[in-house]
Each structure stands twice: as structure tokens, then as C-alpha cells.
């Protein structure tokens, strides 16, 4: 599963001594996506939209 982080969160995510797991979990903003995202043959801006 891909992990999408903004550059300002790279340091926190990659720090092996980071103790605040709640803070790291807050970085994981999972959202539902279309099933088409799971196929590399599909491409297009519609795949970026959140599923209602």
C-alpha cells in the first residue's frame, strides 16, 4: 500500500527513535479510492478523487 506523506512529515516518519506512535498514526490519512486504482493499466486524474 502506498504511503503518501508531505515532505514536512518525512523526518518524523523515518526517524527510527520516534516514540510517539499516536503522532505517526495521525500522519496516515487513509481514504477510500476507486477499485481502478489497483490496476496499473488505469491512469488519469479521476483516480485521485475520493470515493463517496
Amino acid at each position: 500500500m502506498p504511503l503518501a506523506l508531505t515532505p514536512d512529515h518525512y523526518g518524523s516518519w523515518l526517524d527510527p527513535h520516534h516514540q510517539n506512535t499516536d503522532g505517526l498514526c495521525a500522519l496516515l490519512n487513509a481514504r477510500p479510492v476507486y477499485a481502478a486504482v489497483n490496476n496499473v493499466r488505469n491512469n488519469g486524474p479521476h483516480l485521485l478523487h475520493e470515493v463517496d
Side-chain angles (χ1 to χ4, degrees), residues 14-34:
L14 297 173
D15 181 0
H17 305 292
H18 195 89
Q19 299 296 316
N20 183 357
T21 55
D22 289 336
L24 290 177
C25 288
L27 298 177
L28 304 175
N29 296 326
R31 60 185 177 138
V33 294
Y34 293 102

Side-chain angles (χ1 to χ4, degrees), residues 28-45:
L28 304 175
N29 296 326
R31 60 185 177 138
V33 294
Y34 293 102
V37 171
N38 295 323
N39 188 327
V40 296
R41 290 178 285 175
N42 298 322
N43 192 11

